[in-house]
Amino acid sequence: SNVLASMLFRASHAELRKTGFSNKGNQKRYARLDAAGCERARQIKVLQTSLQNSHGGCERSETLKSQLVTMQLEHKIASTQSRIQLLRADIASIQRMFLEDSSGNGFGPASDLQ
């Protein structure tokens, strides 16, 4: 119990997310945010709070709204790119496993490539 508490105290947020999710199924593997995504989401939340609390003029409010929309779009693009990169890595890994399994038996996709 004390060892676990000590490990959790020293671990970064990203390490905890990775460790926690590695013990679970992969149902949400492509929906989870990486460390950069978590930081972008935090910055968006800060900007949303600033916008809600802004009592300034319309110009300041419009500037914050514009920044928020830009940050949200950039976050969506970066998250999608990260998801695509993860999918590509998983596909390549599965292909390598399949090719390794079928390369020694004289049939299957690996024999077609030779």
Side-chain angles (χ1 to χ4, degrees):
S1 174
N2 288 338
V3 174
L4 179 60
S6 175
M7 287 172 40
L8 291 175
F9 181 74
R10 288 190 305 256
S12 71
H13 179 252
E15 290 170 336
L16 289 175
R17 286 175 57 87
K18 186 175 182 179
T19 302
F21 291 130
S22 68
N23 297 328
K24 305 272 185 212
N26 286 327
Q27 296 88 346
K28 297 249 181 199
R29 177 171 168 78
Y30 306 104
R32 293 189 291 263
L33 295 176
D34 59 8
C38 289
E39 179 59 26
R40 287 190 308 270
R42 188 192 66 74
Q43 290 173 350
I44 288 170
K45 186 65 178 166
V46 167
L47 192 56
Q48 288 172 331
T49 302
S50 295
L51 184 59
Q52 291 171 350
N53 296 334
S54 71
H55 295 53
C58 291
E59 187 175 325
R60 171 149 169 75
S61 198
E62 288 302 316
T63 301
L64 289 174
K65 285 180 188 176
S66 176
Q67 287 176 344
L68 179 60
V69 168
T70 300
M71 287 177 73
Q72 288 171 329
L73 288 173
E74 289 172 353
H75 177 60
K76 188 76 161 175
I77 290 167
S79 295
T80 301
Q81 288 172 333
S82 177
R83 194 170 301 122
I84 289 169
Q85 184 179 13
L86 183 58
L87 281 165
R88 284 182 174 163
D90 285 352
I91 290 168
S93 175
I94 291 168
Q95 287 175 329
R96 279 191 303 275
M97 288 185 336
F98 182 70
L99 289 173
E100 288 171 5
D101 286 348
S102 62
S103 63
N105 57 19
F107 60 87
S111 63
D112 295 341
L113 297 175
Q114 296 173 352

PDB file of all heavy atoms in Angstrom, residues 49-58 60-61 64:
ATOM      1  N   THR A  49     -12.910  29.169 -19.321  1.00  0.00           N
ATOM      2  CA  THR A  49     -13.145  29.808 -18.021  1.00  0.00           C
ATOM      3  C   THR A  49     -12.905  31.313 -18.116  1.00  0.00           C
ATOM      4  O   THR A  49     -13.693  32.101 -17.581  1.00  0.00           O
ATOM      5  CB  THR A  49     -12.245  29.183 -16.938  1.00  0.00           C
ATOM      6  OG1 THR A  49     -12.513  27.785 -16.878  1.00  0.00           O
ATOM      7  CG2 THR A  49     -12.485  29.812 -15.581  1.00  0.00           C
ATOM      8  N   SER A  50     -11.858  31.708 -18.808  1.00  0.00           N
ATOM      9  CA  SER A  50     -11.573  33.130 -18.999  1.00  0.00           C
ATOM     10  C   SER A  50     -12.710  33.818 -19.740  1.00  0.00           C
ATOM     11  O   SER A  50     -13.102  34.934 -19.402  1.00  0.00           O
ATOM     12  CB  SER A  50     -10.277  33.334 -19.789  1.00  0.00           C
ATOM     13  OG  SER A  50      -9.179  32.868 -19.074  1.00  0.00           O
ATOM     14  N   LEU A  51     -13.239  33.141 -20.733  1.00  0.00           N
ATOM     15  CA  LEU A  51     -14.340  33.705 -21.511  1.00  0.00           C
ATOM     16  C   LEU A  51     -15.596  33.848 -20.655  1.00  0.00           C
ATOM     17  O   LEU A  51     -16.290  34.867 -20.712  1.00  0.00           O
ATOM     18  CB  LEU A  51     -14.619  32.831 -22.734  1.00  0.00           C
ATOM     19  CG  LEU A  51     -15.676  33.324 -23.713  1.00  0.00           C
ATOM     20  CD1 LEU A  51     -15.295  34.690 -24.267  1.00  0.00           C
ATOM     21  CD2 LEU A  51     -15.842  32.330 -24.846  1.00  0.00           C
ATOM     22  N   GLN A  52     -15.885  32.844 -19.844  1.00  0.00           N
ATOM     23  CA  GLN A  52     -17.056  32.903 -18.971  1.00  0.00           C
ATOM     24  C   GLN A  52     -16.921  34.003 -17.925  1.00  0.00           C
ATOM     25  O   GLN A  52     -17.907  34.627 -17.543  1.00  0.00           O
ATOM     26  CB  GLN A  52     -17.271  31.556 -18.264  1.00  0.00           C
ATOM     27  CG  GLN A  52     -17.709  30.459 -19.196  1.00  0.00           C
ATOM     28  CD  GLN A  52     -17.696  29.086 -18.530  1.00  0.00           C
ATOM     29  OE1 GLN A  52     -17.178  28.931 -17.425  1.00  0.00           O
ATOM     30  NE2 GLN A  52     -18.226  28.093 -19.220  1.00  0.00           N
ATOM     31  N   ASN A  53     -15.699  34.229 -17.467  1.00  0.00           N
ATOM     32  CA  ASN A  53     -15.470  35.222 -16.416  1.00  0.00           C
ATOM     33  C   ASN A  53     -15.141  36.609 -16.948  1.00  0.00           C
ATOM     34  O   ASN A  53     -14.948  37.525 -16.158  1.00  0.00           O
ATOM     35  CB  ASN A  53     -14.334  34.758 -15.490  1.00  0.00           C
ATOM     36  CG  ASN A  53     -14.689  33.500 -14.739  1.00  0.00           C
ATOM     37  OD1 ASN A  53     -15.851  33.211 -14.511  1.00  0.00           O
ATOM     38  ND2 ASN A  53     -13.683  32.743 -14.367  1.00  0.00           N
ATOM     39  N   SER A  54     -15.050  36.738 -18.272  1.00  0.00           N
ATOM     40  CA  SER A  54     -14.669  38.049 -18.820  1.00  0.00           C
ATOM     41  C   SER A  54     -15.820  39.025 -18.671  1.00  0.00           C
ATOM     42  O   SER A  54     -16.960  38.755 -19.014  1.00  0.00           O
ATOM     43  CB  SER A  54     -14.262  37.923 -20.289  1.00  0.00           C
ATOM     44  OG  SER A  54     -15.383  37.660 -21.089  1.00  0.00           O
ATOM     45  N   HIS A  55     -15.461  40.144 -18.119  1.00  0.00           N
ATOM     46  CA  HIS A  55     -16.441  41.206 -17.934  1.00  0.00           C
ATOM     47  C   HIS A  55     -16.047  42.407 -18.764  1.00  0.00           C
ATOM     48  O   HIS A  55     -16.559  43.492 -18.605  1.00  0.00           O
ATOM     49  CB  HIS A  55     -16.518  41.604 -16.453  1.00  0.00           C
ATOM     50  CG  HIS A  55     -17.037  40.510 -15.572  1.00  0.00           C
ATOM     51  ND1 HIS A  55     -16.504  39.248 -15.550  1.00  0.00           N
ATOM     52  CD2 HIS A  55     -18.052  40.484 -14.679  1.00  0.00           C
ATOM     53  CE1 HIS A  55     -17.150  38.490 -14.675  1.00  0.00           C
ATOM     54  NE2 HIS A  55     -18.088  39.220 -14.130  1.00  0.00           N
ATOM     55  N   GLY A  56     -15.076  42.161 -19.639  1.00  0.00           N
ATOM     56  CA  GLY A  56     -14.559  43.237 -20.471  1.00  0.00           C
ATOM     57  C   GLY A  56     -15.522  43.580 -21.583  1.00  0.00           C
ATOM     58  O   GLY A  56     -16.644  43.078 -21.663  1.00  0.00           O
ATOM     59  N   GLY A  57     -15.046  44.411 -22.460  1.00  0.00           N
ATOM     60  CA  GLY A  57     -15.876  44.847 -23.572  1.00  0.00           C
ATOM     61  C   GLY A  57     -16.080  43.751 -24.589  1.00  0.00           C
ATOM     62  O   GLY A  57     -15.543  42.654 -24.491  1.00  0.00           O
ATOM     63  N   CYS A  58     -16.875  44.086 -25.570  1.00  0.00           N
ATOM     64  CA  CYS A  58     -17.193  43.126 -26.631  1.00  0.00           C
ATOM     65  C   CYS A  58     -15.950  42.712 -27.407  1.00  0.00           C
ATOM     66  O   CYS A  58     -15.849  41.578 -27.843  1.00  0.00           O
ATOM     67  CB  CYS A  58     -18.213  43.725 -27.587  1.00  0.00           C
ATOM     68  SG  CYS A  58     -19.838  43.918 -26.853  1.00  0.00           S
ATOM     69  N   ARG A  60     -12.810  42.325 -26.343  1.00  0.00           N
ATOM     70  CA  ARG A  60     -12.063  41.301 -25.596  1.00  0.00           C
ATOM     71  C   ARG A  60     -12.792  39.963 -25.677  1.00  0.00           C
ATOM     72  O   ARG A  60     -12.182  38.922 -25.877  1.00  0.00           O
ATOM     73  CB  ARG A  60     -11.892  41.719 -24.134  1.00  0.00           C
ATOM     74  CG  ARG A  60     -11.328  40.597 -23.270  1.00  0.00           C
ATOM     75  CD  ARG A  60     -10.475  41.081 -22.132  1.00  0.00           C
ATOM     76  NE  ARG A  60     -10.152  40.065 -21.166  1.00  0.00           N
ATOM     77  CZ  ARG A  60      -9.259  39.097 -21.349  1.00  0.00           C
ATOM     78  NH1 ARG A  60      -8.625  39.000 -22.487  1.00  0.00           N
ATOM     79  NH2 ARG A  60      -9.015  38.207 -20.410  1.00  0.00           N
ATOM     80  N   SER A  61     -14.086  40.012 -25.532  1.00  0.00           N
ATOM     81  CA  SER A  61     -14.887  38.793 -25.590  1.00  0.00           C
ATOM     82  C   SER A  61     -14.793  38.138 -26.971  1.00  0.00           C
ATOM     83  O   SER A  61     -14.665  36.922 -27.083  1.00  0.00           O
ATOM     84  CB  SER A  61     -16.341  39.141 -25.257  1.00  0.00           C
ATOM     85  OG  SER A  61     -17.059  38.010 -24.906  1.00  0.00           O
ATOM     86  N   LEU A  64     -11.377  36.461 -27.320  1.00  0.00           N
ATOM     87  CA  LEU A  64     -11.336  35.184 -26.592  1.00  0.00           C
ATOM     88  C   LEU A  64     -12.119  34.108 -27.338  1.00  0.00           C
ATOM     89  O   LEU A  64     -11.674  32.958 -27.434  1.00  0.00           O
ATOM     90  CB  LEU A  64     -11.886  35.353 -25.175  1.00  0.00           C
ATOM     91  CG  LEU A  64     -11.016  36.148 -24.204  1.00  0.00           C
ATOM     92  CD1 LEU A  64     -11.751  36.362 -22.871  1.00  0.00           C
ATOM     93  CD2 LEU A  64      -9.697  35.445 -23.968  1.00  0.00           C
TER      94      LEU A  64
END
